Coordinates of all heavy atoms in Angstrom, one line a residue:
M1 N 57.7 76.7 129.0 CA 58.0 76.8 127.7 C 58.3 75.3 127.1 O 59.3 74.8 127.4 CB 59.4 77.6 127.5 CG 59.8 77.7 126.1 SD 61.4 78.7 126.0 CE 61.1 80.0 127.1
T2 N 57.3 74.8 126.5 CA 57.3 73.5 126.1 C 57.4 73.4 124.5 O 57.5 72.4 124.0 CB 56.2 72.6 126.6 OG1 55.0 73.3 126.1 CG2 56.2 72.5 128.1
D3 N 57.3 74.6 123.9 CA 57.3 74.7 122.4 C 58.7 74.3 121.9 O 59.6 74.7 122.5 CB 56.9 76.1 122.0 CG 56.7 76.2 120.5 OD1 56.9 75.3 119.8 OD2 56.3 77.3 120.1
S4 N 58.8 73.5 120.9 CA 60.1 73.0 120.4 C 60.5 73.9 119.1 O 61.5 73.5 118.5 CB 60.1 71.5 120.1 OG 59.2 71.3 119.1
T5 N 59.8 74.8 118.7 CA 60.1 75.6 117.6 C 61.3 76.5 117.9 O 61.6 76.8 119.0 CB 58.9 76.5 117.1 OG1 58.6 77.4 118.1 CG2 57.8 75.6 116.7
D6 N 62.0 76.9 116.9 CA 63.1 77.8 117.0 C 62.8 79.2 117.6 O 61.6 79.6 117.3 CB 63.9 78.0 115.7 CG 64.6 76.8 115.2 OD1 64.8 75.9 116.1 OD2 65.0 76.8 114.0
Y7 N 63.6 79.7 118.3 CA 63.4 81.1 118.8 C 64.3 82.0 118.0 O 65.6 82.0 118.3 CB 63.6 81.2 120.3 CG 63.3 82.5 120.9 CD1 62.0 82.8 121.5 CD2 64.3 83.4 121.0 CE1 61.8 84.0 122.1 CE2 64.0 84.7 121.6 CZ 62.7 85.0 122.1 OH 62.4 86.2 122.7
L8 N 63.9 82.7 117.0 CA 64.7 83.5 116.2 C 65.0 84.8 116.8 O 64.2 85.5 117.3 CB 64.0 83.7 114.8 CG 63.6 82.5 114.1 CD1 63.0 82.9 112.8 CD2 64.9 81.6 113.8
V9 N 66.4 85.1 116.7 CA 66.8 86.4 117.2 C 67.5 87.1 116.0 O 68.4 86.6 115.5 CB 67.9 86.2 118.3 CG1 68.5 87.5 118.8 CG2 67.3 85.4 119.5
H10 N 66.9 88.2 115.7 CA 67.5 89.0 114.6 C 68.4 90.1 115.2 O 68.1 90.9 115.9 CB 66.2 89.8 113.9 CG 65.3 88.8 113.3 ND1 65.4 88.3 112.1 CD2 64.1 88.3 113.8 CE1 64.4 87.5 111.8 NE2 63.6 87.4 112.9
I11 N 69.7 89.9 114.6 CA 70.7 90.9 115.1 C 71.0 91.7 113.9 O 71.5 91.2 112.8 CB 71.9 90.1 115.5 CG1 71.7 89.1 116.7 CG2 73.1 91.0 115.9 CD1 71.2 89.7 118.0
H12 N 70.9 93.0 114.0 CA 71.2 93.9 113.0 C 72.5 94.7 113.2 O 73.0 95.3 112.3 CB 70.0 94.9 112.8 CG 68.8 94.1 112.5 ND1 68.5 93.6 111.2 CD2 67.7 93.9 113.3 CE1 67.3 93.0 111.3 NE2 66.8 93.2 112.4
D13 N 72.9 94.7 114.5 CA 74.0 95.6 114.9 C 75.3 94.6 114.8 O 75.4 93.6 115.5 CB 73.9 96.0 116.3 CG 74.9 97.0 116.8 OD1 76.1 96.8 116.2 OD2 74.7 97.7 117.7
R14 N 76.2 95.0 114.0 CA 77.4 94.1 113.8 C 78.3 94.0 115.0 O 78.9 93.0 115.3 CB 78.3 94.7 112.6 CG 77.8 94.4 111.3 CD 78.7 95.0 110.2 NE 78.2 94.6 108.9 CZ 78.9 93.8 108.1 NH1 80.1 93.4 108.4 NH2 78.3 93.5 106.9
D15 N 78.3 95.1 115.9 CA 79.0 95.0 117.1 C 78.4 94.0 118.1 O 79.2 93.3 118.8 CB 79.0 96.4 117.8 CG 79.8 97.4 117.1 OD1 80.7 97.0 116.4 OD2 79.4 98.6 117.2
V16 N 77.1 93.8 118.0 CA 76.5 92.8 118.9 C 76.6 91.4 118.2 O 76.8 90.4 118.9 CB 75.0 93.1 119.1 CG1 74.3 91.9 119.8 CG2 74.9 94.4 119.9
A17 N 76.5 91.3 116.8 CA 76.5 90.1 116.1 C 77.7 89.2 116.4 O 77.6 88.0 116.6 CB 76.3 90.3 114.7
H18 N 78.9 89.8 116.5 CA 80.1 89.1 116.6 C 80.3 88.7 118.1 O 81.1 87.8 118.5 CB 81.3 89.8 116.1 CG 81.9 90.9 117.1 ND1 81.4 92.2 117.1 CD2 82.9 90.8 118.0 CE1 82.0 92.8 118.0 NE2 83.0 92.0 118.5
L19 N 79.5 89.2 119.1 CA 79.5 88.8 120.5 C 78.6 87.8 120.9 O 78.7 87.2 121.9 CB 79.3 90.1 121.3 CG 80.3 91.2 121.1 CD1 79.8 92.5 121.9 CD2 81.7 90.8 121.6
I20 N 77.5 87.6 120.1 CA 76.4 86.8 120.5 C 76.7 85.3 120.8 O 76.2 84.7 121.7 CB 75.2 86.8 119.5 CG1 73.9 86.3 120.1 CG2 75.5 86.2 118.2 CD1 73.3 87.2 121.0
D21 N 77.6 84.7 120.0 CA 77.9 83.3 120.3 C 78.6 83.1 121.7 O 78.3 82.1 122.4 CB 78.9 82.7 119.2 CG 78.1 82.5 117.9 OD1 76.9 82.3 117.8 OD2 78.8 82.5 116.8
G22 N 79.5 84.0 122.0 CA 80.2 83.9 123.3 C 79.2 84.2 124.5 O 79.1 83.6 125.5
Y23 N 78.2 85.1 124.1 CA 77.2 85.4 125.2 C 76.3 84.2 125.4 O 76.1 83.8 126.6 CB 76.3 86.6 124.7 CG 75.2 86.9 125.6 CD1 75.4 87.6 126.8 CD2 73.9 86.5 125.3 CE1 74.3 87.8 127.6 CE2 72.8 86.7 126.1 CZ 73.0 87.4 127.3 OH 72.0 87.6 128.1
L24 N 75.9 83.6 124.4 CA 75.0 82.4 124.5 C 75.8 81.2 125.2 O 75.2 80.5 126.0 CB 74.5 81.9 123.2 CG 73.4 82.9 122.6 CD1 73.0 82.5 121.2 CD2 72.2 83.0 123.5
A25 N 77.1 81.0 124.9 CA 77.9 80.1 125.6 C 77.9 80.3 127.1 O 77.9 79.4 127.9 CB 79.3 80.0 125.0
R26 N 78.1 81.5 127.5 CA 78.2 81.9 128.8 C 76.8 81.6 129.5 O 76.7 81.2 130.7 CB 78.6 83.3 129.1 CG 80.1 83.5 128.8 CD 80.6 84.9 129.1 NE 79.9 86.0 128.4 CZ 80.2 86.4 127.1 NH1 81.1 85.7 126.4 NH2 79.5 87.3 126.6
R27 N 75.7 81.8 128.8 CA 74.5 81.5 129.4 C 74.2 80.0 129.6 O 73.6 79.5 130.5 CB 73.3 82.0 128.5 CG 73.3 83.6 128.2 CD 73.3 84.5 129.4 NE 74.4 84.4 130.3 CZ 75.6 85.2 130.2 NH1 75.8 85.9 129.2 NH2 76.5 85.1 131.1
R28 N 74.9 79.2 128.8 CA 74.9 77.7 128.9 C 75.6 77.5 130.3 O 75.1 76.6 131.0 CB 75.6 77.1 127.8 CG 74.8 76.8 126.6 CD 74.2 75.5 126.7 NE 73.1 75.4 125.8 CZ 71.9 74.9 126.2 NH1 71.6 74.7 127.4 NH2 71.0 74.8 125.3
D29 N 76.7 78.1 130.5 CA 77.4 77.9 131.8 C 76.6 78.4 132.9 O 76.6 77.8 134.0 CB 78.7 78.8 131.8 CG 79.8 78.3 130.8 OD1 79.7 77.1 130.4 OD2 80.8 79.0 130.5
D30 N 75.7 79.4 132.7 CA 74.8 79.9 133.8 C 73.8 78.8 134.2 O 73.4 78.7 135.4 CB 74.0 81.1 133.4 CG 74.9 82.4 133.3 OD1 76.0 82.3 134.0 OD2 74.5 83.4 132.8
V31 N 73.4 77.9 133.2 CA 72.4 76.9 133.5 C 73.1 75.9 134.6 O 72.5 75.6 135.5 CB 72.0 76.1 132.2 CG1 71.2 74.9 132.6 CG2 71.1 77.0 131.4
I32 N 74.4 75.5 134.3 CA 75.1 74.7 135.2 C 75.3 75.4 136.6 O 75.0 74.7 137.6 CB 76.4 74.3 134.6 CG1 76.3 73.5 133.3 CG2 77.3 73.6 135.6 CD1 77.5 73.3 132.4
L33 N 75.7 76.6 136.6 CA 75.8 77.4 137.8 C 74.5 77.4 138.6 O 74.6 77.3 139.8 CB 76.4 78.8 137.5 CG 77.8 78.9 137.0 CD1 78.1 80.3 136.5 CD2 78.8 78.5 138.0
A34 N 73.5 77.7 137.9 CA 72.1 77.9 138.5 C 71.8 76.5 139.2 O 71.2 76.5 140.4 CB 71.1 78.3 137.5
R35 N 71.9 75.4 138.5 CA 71.6 74.1 139.1 C 72.4 73.9 140.3 O 71.9 73.3 141.3 CB 71.8 73.1 138.0 CG 70.7 73.0 137.0 CD 70.8 72.0 136.0 NE 69.7 71.9 135.1 CZ 69.7 71.8 133.8 NH1 70.9 71.5 133.2 NH2 68.7 71.8 133.1
N36 N 73.7 74.2 140.2 CA 74.6 74.0 141.4 C 74.2 74.9 142.6 O 74.1 74.5 143.7 CB 76.0 74.2 141.1 CG 76.6 73.0 140.2 OD1 76.1 71.9 140.2 ND2 77.6 73.4 139.4
A37 N 73.8 76.1 142.2 CA 73.5 77.0 143.3 C 72.1 76.6 143.9 O 72.0 76.7 145.2 CB 73.3 78.5 142.7
L38 N 71.2 76.1 143.2 CA 70.0 75.6 143.8 C 70.3 74.4 144.7 O 69.7 74.4 145.8 CB 69.0 75.2 142.7 CG 67.6 74.7 143.2 CD1 66.9 75.7 143.9 CD2 66.8 74.3 141.9
K39 N 71.1 73.5 144.3 CA 71.4 72.4 145.1 C 72.0 72.8 146.4 O 71.8 72.2 147.5 CB 72.4 71.5 144.5 CG 71.8 70.6 143.3 CD 72.9 69.7 142.7 CE 72.3 69.1 141.4 NZ 73.3 68.4 140.6
Q40 N 72.8 73.9 146.4 CA 73.5 74.4 147.6 C 72.7 75.4 148.4 O 73.1 75.9 149.4 CB 74.8 75.1 147.3 CG 75.8 74.1 146.6 CD 77.0 74.8 146.0 OE1 77.2 76.0 146.1 NE2 77.9 74.0 145.4
G41 N 71.5 75.7 147.9 CA 70.6 76.7 148.5 C 71.1 78.1 148.5 O 70.9 79.0 149.3
D42 N 71.9 78.4 147.4 CA 72.5 79.7 147.2 C 71.5 80.6 146.6 O 71.7 80.9 145.4 CB 73.8 79.6 146.5 CG 74.5 81.0 146.3 OD1 74.0 82.0 146.9 OD2 75.5 81.0 145.5
Y43 N 70.5 81.1 147.3 CA 69.5 81.9 146.7 C 70.0 83.3 146.4 O 69.5 84.0 145.4 CB 68.2 82.0 147.7 CG 67.5 80.6 147.8 CD1 67.7 79.9 149.0 CD2 66.8 80.2 146.8 CE1 67.1 78.6 149.1 CE2 66.2 78.9 146.9 CZ 66.3 78.2 148.1 OH 65.8 76.9 148.2
E44 N 70.9 83.8 147.1 CA 71.5 85.1 146.8 C 72.2 85.1 145.4 O 72.0 85.9 144.6 CB 72.4 85.5 147.9 CG 73.0 87.0 147.7 CD 73.8 87.4 148.8 OE1 73.5 87.1 150.0 OE2 74.9 88.1 148.5
G45 N 73.0 84.0 145.3 CA 73.7 83.8 143.9 C 72.7 83.7 142.8 O 72.9 84.2 141.7
L46 N 71.6 82.9 143.0 CA 70.6 82.7 142.0 C 69.9 84.1 141.7 O 69.6 84.4 140.5 CB 69.5 81.8 142.4 CG 70.0 80.3 142.4 CD1 69.2 79.4 143.3 CD2 70.0 79.8 140.9
A47 N 69.6 84.9 142.7 CA 69.0 86.2 142.5 C 69.9 87.1 141.7 O 69.5 87.8 140.7 CB 68.7 86.9 143.8
L48 N 71.2 87.1 141.9 CA 72.2 87.9 141.2 C 72.2 87.4 139.7 O 72.2 88.2 138.8 CB 73.5 87.8 141.8 CG 74.6 88.6 141.0 CD1 74.3 90.1 141.0 CD2 76.0 88.4 141.8
L49 N 72.2 86.1 139.5 CA 72.3 85.5 138.2 C 71.0 86.0 137.4 O 71.1 86.4 136.3 CB 72.3 84.0 138.2 CG 72.3 83.3 136.9 CD1 73.7 83.1 136.4 CD2 71.6 82.0 137.0
G50 N 69.8 85.8 138.1 CA 68.6 86.3 137.4 C 68.6 87.8 137.1 O 68.2 88.2 136.0
H51 N 69.1 88.6 138.0 CA 69.3 90.0 137.8 C 70.1 90.3 136.5 O 69.8 91.1 135.7 CB 69.9 90.7 139.0 CG 70.1 92.2 138.9 ND1 69.0 93.0 139.1 CD2 71.1 92.9 138.6 CE1 69.4 94.3 138.8 NE2 70.7 94.3 138.6
N52 N 71.2 89.6 136.4 CA 72.1 89.8 135.3 C 71.5 89.4 134.0 O 71.6 90.0 132.9 CB 73.5 89.1 135.5 CG 74.3 89.8 136.6 OD1 74.1 90.9 137.0 ND2 75.1 89.0 137.2
L53 N 70.8 88.2 134.0 CA 70.1 87.8 132.8 C 69.0 88.8 132.4 O 68.9 89.1 131.2 CB 69.4 86.4 133.1 CG 70.3 85.2 133.2 CD1 69.5 84.0 133.6 CD2 71.0 84.9 131.9
H54 N 68.3 89.3 133.4 CA 67.2 90.3 133.1 C 67.8 91.4 132.3 O 67.3 91.9 131.4 CB 66.5 90.6 134.4 CG 65.5 91.6 134.2 ND1 65.3 92.7 135.1 CD2 64.5 91.9 133.3 CE1 64.2 93.4 134.7 NE2 63.7 92.9 133.6
G55 N 69.0 91.9 132.9 CA 69.6 93.1 132.3 C 70.2 92.8 130.9 O 70.1 93.7 130.0
S56 N 70.8 91.7 130.7 CA 71.6 91.5 129.5 C 70.7 90.9 128.3 O 71.0 91.1 127.1 CB 72.8 90.6 129.7 OG 72.3 89.3 130.1
G57 N 69.7 90.2 128.6 CA 68.9 89.6 127.6 C 68.3 90.6 126.5 O 68.4 90.3 125.3
G58 N 67.8 91.7 127.1 CA 67.3 92.6 126.1 C 68.4 93.3 125.3 O 68.2 93.6 124.1
A59 N 69.6 93.5 125.9 CA 70.7 94.2 125.2 C 71.1 93.3 124.0 O 71.6 93.8 123.0 CB 71.9 94.4 126.1
Y60 N 70.9 92.0 124.1 CA 71.3 91.1 123.0 C 70.1 90.7 122.2 O 70.1 89.8 121.3 CB 71.9 89.8 123.6 CG 73.4 90.1 124.0 CD1 73.7 90.5 125.2 CD2 74.4 89.9 123.1 CE1 75.1 90.8 125.6 CE2 75.7 90.1 123.3 CZ 76.0 90.5 124.6 OH 77.4 90.8 124.9
G61 N 68.9 91.4 122.4 CA 67.8 91.1 121.6 C 67.0 89.8 121.9 O 66.4 89.2 120.9
I62 N 67.1 89.4 123.1 CA 66.4 88.2 123.5 C 65.5 88.5 124.7 O 65.8 88.2 125.8 CB 67.4 87.1 123.9 CG1 68.4 86.9 122.8 CG2 66.7 85.7 124.1 CD1 69.6 86.0 123.1
P63 N 64.4 89.1 124.5 CA 63.5 89.5 125.6 C 63.0 88.3 126.5 O 62.8 88.5 127.7 CB 62.4 90.3 125.0 CG 62.4 89.8 123.5 CD 63.8 89.5 123.2
Q64 N 62.9 87.2 125.9 CA 62.4 86.0 126.7 C 63.5 85.7 127.7 O 63.1 85.3 128.8 CB 62.2 84.8 125.7 CG 61.7 83.6 126.4 CD 60.3 83.7 126.8 OE1 59.5 84.7 126.5 NE2 59.8 82.8 127.7
L65 N 64.8 85.9 127.4 CA 65.8 85.6 128.4 C 65.6 86.6 129.5 O 65.9 86.3 130.7 CB 67.1 85.8 127.7 CG 68.4 85.4 128.5 CD1 68.4 84.1 129.0 CD2 69.6 85.6 127.6
S66 N 65.3 87.9 129.2 CA 65.2 88.9 130.2 C 64.0 88.5 131.1 O 64.1 88.7 132.4 CB 64.9 90.3 129.6 OG 66.0 90.7 129.0
R67 N 62.9 88.0 130.5 CA 61.8 87.6 131.4 C 62.1 86.5 132.3 O 61.8 86.5 133.5 CB 60.6 87.2 130.5 CG 59.3 87.0 131.3 CD 58.3 86.0 130.8 NE 58.8 84.8 130.3 CZ 59.0 83.7 131.1 NH1 58.9 83.7 132.4 NH2 59.5 82.5 130.6
I68 N 62.8 85.5 131.8 CA 63.2 84.3 132.6 C 64.2 84.9 133.8 O 64.0 84.5 135.0 CB 64.0 83.3 131.8 CG1 62.9 82.5 130.9 CG2 64.7 82.2 132.7 CD1 63.6 81.6 129.9
G69 N 65.0 85.8 133.4 CA 66.0 86.3 134.4 C 65.2 87.1 135.5 O 65.5 86.9 136.7
Q70 N 64.2 87.9 135.1 CA 63.4 88.6 136.1 C 62.6 87.6 137.0 O 62.6 87.8 138.2 CB 62.4 89.5 135.4 CG 61.6 90.4 136.2 CD 60.7 91.3 135.4 OE1 60.3 91.0 134.3 NE2 60.3 92.4 136.0
D71 N 62.0 86.7 136.4 CA 61.3 85.6 137.3 C 62.2 84.9 138.1 O 61.9 84.5 139.3 CB 60.5 84.7 136.3 CG 59.4 85.4 135.5 OD1 59.0 86.5 135.9 OD2 58.9 84.7 134.6
L72 N 63.5 84.5 137.6 CA 64.4 83.8 138.4 C 64.8 84.7 139.6 O 64.9 84.1 140.8 CB 65.6 83.4 137.6 CG 66.7 82.7 138.3 CD1 66.3 81.4 138.9 CD2 67.9 82.4 137.4
E73 N 65.1 85.9 139.4 CA 65.5 86.8 140.5 C 64.3 86.8 141.6 O 64.6 86.7 142.8 CB 65.8 88.2 140.0 CG 66.1 89.1 141.1 CD 66.6 90.5 140.6 OE1 66.3 90.9 139.5 OE2 67.1 91.3 141.5
R74 N 63.0 87.0 141.1 CA 62.0 87.0 142.0 C 61.8 85.8 142.8 O 61.7 85.8 144.0 CB 60.7 87.3 141.3 CG 59.5 87.3 142.2 CD 58.2 87.0 141.4 NE 58.2 85.9 140.5 CZ 58.1 84.6 140.9 NH1 58.1 84.3 142.1 NH2 58.2 83.7 140.0
A75 N 61.9 84.6 142.1 CA 61.8 83.3 142.8 C 62.9 83.1 143.8 O 62.7 82.5 144.9 CB 61.7 82.2 141.7
A76 N 64.1 83.5 143.4 CA 65.3 83.3 144.3 C 65.1 84.2 145.6 O 65.4 83.7 146.7 CB 66.5 83.6 143.6
R77 N 64.6 85.4 145.5 CA 64.4 86.3 146.6 C 63.3 85.7 147.6 O 63.4 85.8 148.7 CB 64.0 87.7 146.2 CG 65.1 88.3 145.4 CD 65.4 89.7 145.8 NE 66.4 90.3 145.0 CZ 67.7 90.2 145.2 NH1 68.2 89.5 146.2 NH2 68.7 90.8 144.4
S78 N 62.4 84.9 147.0 CA 61.3 84.3 147.8 C 61.7 82.8 148.2 O 60.9 82.2 148.8 CB 60.1 84.2 147.0 OG 59.6 85.5 146.7
E79 N 62.9 82.4 147.7 CA 63.3 81.0 148.0 C 62.4 79.9 147.6 O 62.1 79.0 148.3 CB 63.7 80.9 149.5 CG 64.9 81.8 149.8 CD 65.5 81.6 151.2 OE1 65.1 80.7 151.9 OE2 66.3 82.5 151.6
E80 N 61.8 80.1 146.4 CA 60.8 79.2 145.8 C 61.5 78.2 144.9 O 61.7 78.4 143.7 CB 59.8 79.9 145.0 CG 59.0 81.0 145.9 CD 58.1 81.8 145.1 OE1 58.1 81.8 143.8 OE2 57.5 82.8 145.7
A81 N 62.1 77.1 145.5 CA 62.9 76.2 144.9 C 62.2 75.5 143.7 O 62.9 75.3 142.6 CB 63.4 75.0 145.9
A82 N 61.0 75.1 143.8 CA 60.3 74.5 142.6 C 60.2 75.5 141.5 O 60.4 75.1 140.3 CB 58.9 74.1 143.1
D83 N 59.9 76.7 141.7 CA 59.8 77.7 140.6 C 61.2 77.9 140.0 O 61.3 78.1 138.8 CB 59.3 79.1 141.1 CG 57.8 79.0 141.5 OD1 57.1 78.0 141.2 OD2 57.3 80.0 142.1
I84 N 62.2 78.0 140.8 CA 63.6 78.1 140.4 C 64.0 77.0 139.5 O 64.5 77.2 138.3 CB 64.6 78.3 141.5 CG1 64.3 79.6 142.3 CG2 66.1 78.2 141.0 CD1 65.1 79.7 143.6
E85 N 63.7 75.8 139.8 CA 64.0 74.7 139.0 C 63.2 74.7 137.7 O 63.9 74.4 136.7 CB 63.5 73.4 139.8 CG 64.0 72.1 139.2 CD 63.8 70.9 140.1 OE1 63.5 71.1 141.3 OE2 63.9 69.8 139.5
A86 N 62.0 75.1 137.7 CA 61.2 75.3 136.4 C 61.9 76.3 135.6 O 62.0 76.2 134.3 CB 59.8 75.6 136.8
L87 N 62.3 77.5 136.1 CA 62.9 78.6 135.4 C 64.3 78.1 134.8 O 64.6 78.5 133.6 CB 63.0 79.8 136.2 CG 61.7 80.5 136.5 CD1 61.8 81.4 137.7 CD2 61.1 81.2 135.3
I88 N 65.0 77.4 135.5 CA 66.3 76.9 135.0 C 66.0 76.0 133.8 O 66.7 76.1 132.7 CB 67.1 76.1 136.1 CG1 67.5 77.1 137.1 CG2 68.3 75.4 135.5 CD1 68.1 76.4 138.4
A89 N 65.0 75.2 133.9 CA 64.6 74.3 132.7 C 64.2 75.2 131.6 O 64.5 74.9 130.4 CB 63.5 73.3 133.1
Q90 N 63.4 76.3 131.8 CA 63.0 77.1 130.7 C 64.2 77.7 130.1 O 64.3 77.9 128.8 CB 62.1 78.2 131.2 CG 60.7 77.7 131.6 CD 59.8 78.8 132.1 OE1 60.1 80.0 131.7 NE2 58.8 78.5 132.8
L91 N 65.2 78.2 130.9 CA 66.4 78.8 130.3 C 67.2 77.8 129.4 O 67.5 78.1 128.3 CB 67.3 79.3 131.5 CG 68.7 79.8 131.1 CD1 68.6 81.0 130.2 CD2 69.5 80.1 132.3
D92 N 67.3 76.6 129.9 CA 67.9 75.6 129.1 C 67.2 75.3 127.9 O 67.9 75.2 126.8 CB 68.0 74.2 130.0 CG 68.9 73.2 129.5 OD1 69.9 73.5 128.8 OD2 68.7 72.0 129.7
Q93 N 65.9 75.2 127.9 CA 65.2 75.0 126.6 C 65.2 76.2 125.7 O 65.4 75.9 124.5 CB 63.7 74.7 127.0 CG 63.4 73.4 127.7 CD 62.1 73.2 128.2 OE1 61.2 74.2 128.0 NE2 61.8 72.2 129.0
L94 N 65.2 77.3 126.2 CA 65.3 78.5 125.4 C 66.7 78.5 124.7 O 66.7 78.7 123.4 CB 65.1 79.8 126.2 CG 65.4 81.1 125.4 CD1 64.3 81.3 124.4 CD2 65.3 82.3 126.4
L95 N 67.7 78.3 125.4 CA 69.0 78.3 124.8 C 69.1 77.2 123.7 O 69.9 77.4 122.7 CB 70.1 78.1 125.8 CG 70.3 79.3 126.9 CD1 71.2 78.8 128.0 CD2 70.7 80.5 126.1
D96 N 68.5 76.1 123.8 CA 68.5 75.0 122.8 C 67.8 75.5 121.5 O 68.0 75.1 120.5 CB 67.7 73.8 123.3 CG 68.6 73.0 124.3 OD1 69.8 73.2 124.3 OD2 68.0 72.1 124.9
R97 N 66.8 76.5 121.7 CA 66.0 76.9 120.6 C 66.5 78.2 119.9 O 66.0 78.5 118.8 CB 64.5 77.1 121.1 CG 63.9 75.9 121.6 CD 62.5 76.1 122.2 NE 61.7 77.1 121.5 CZ 61.0 78.0 122.0 NH1 60.9 78.1 123.3 NH2 60.3 78.9 121.3
V98 N 67.3 78.9 120.6 CA 67.8 80.2 119.9 C 68.6 80.0 118.6 O 69.5 79.1 118.5 CB 68.7 81.0 120.9 CG1 69.4 82.1 120.2 CG2 67.9 81.5 122.1
R99 N 68.1 80.8 117.7 CA 68.8 80.7 116.3 C 69.0 82.1 115.9 O 68.1 83.0 115.9 CB 67.9 80.0 115.3 CG 67.5 78.6 115.5 CD 68.8 77.7 115.5 NE 68.4 76.3 115.9 CZ 68.6 75.8 117.1 NH1 69.1 76.5 118.1 NH2 68.2 74.6 117.3
I100 N 70.2 82.5 115.6 CA 70.6 83.9 115.3 C 70.4 84.0 113.8 O 70.9 83.2 113.0 CB 72.1 84.2 115.7 CG1 72.3 83.8 117.1 CG2 72.4 85.6 115.4 CD1 71.4 84.6 118.1
V101 N 69.8 85.1 113.4 CA 69.5 85.4 112.0 C 69.9 86.9 111.7 O 70.0 87.7 112.6 CB 68.1 85.2 111.5 CG1 67.9 83.6 111.5 CG2 67.1 85.9 112.3

C-alpha cells in the first residue's frame, strides 16, 4: 500500500461512531506491539493480533484492516518475517490514511 490518498471510512451507526477514535488509537498501539513481537520472534502473538484485526476491522467498517489482519495471521503462522514486516508497514500506513466521515 503505497498510495498516499485518504482512506475514507463512512460511519452511519452512532454507537460505532463514538467508539472509532479509541479503536484506531488501540490499532496504533498494535503497530508498536507487532514490531516488538516480530523482534522477539513471537509468532503466536502476531497470529493472535492478526486474527483480532481480521475480526474487528469489518465491524468498524474498515475492510482493508481486516485484510491486513488476515494476511498477518497467515504470515505469522508460517513465520514469514519479511511478509510480517511488510504487513506491519501496511497497517501503519493505513492508519495514517484513515479519515472518518
Side-chain angles (χ1 to χ4, degrees):
M1 180 181 316
T2 59
D3 188 354
S4 63
T5 59
D6 289 345
Y7 185 91
L8 300 179
V9 177
H10 299 272
I11 304 293
H12 303 286
D13 183 337
R14 287 181 172 243
D15 292 333
V16 173
H18 81 277
L19 299 173
I20 194 78
D21 288 335
Y23 174 76
L24 291 172
R26 289 187 300 279
R27 301 305 62 88
R28 278 266 165 232
D29 293 341
D30 285 346
V31 171
I32 296 166
L33 291 172
R35 286 183 175 138
N36 288 334
L38 182 58
K39 285 179 189 173
Q40 297 170 5
D42 181 7
Y43 294 105
E44 185 175 321
L46 285 161
L48 179 60
L49 180 89
H51 179 81
N52 291 338
L53 288 173
H54 179 219
S56 67
Y60 281 90
I62 311 172
Q64 184 68 11
L65 185 59
S66 288
R67 188 206 50 82
I68 291 170
Q70 183 178 28
D71 291 348
L72 179 60
E73 182 178 10
R74 179 204 44 79
R77 297 226 182 274
S78 301
E79 297 187 8
E80 299 170 1
D83 289 349
I84 293 167
E85 191 170 346
L87 288 162
I88 294 169
Q90 286 180 26
L91 175 60
D92 193 27
Q93 291 170 6
L94 175 64
L95 293 170
D96 284 345
R97 294 175 41 219
V98 168
R99 301 294 174 261
I100 307 302
V101 292

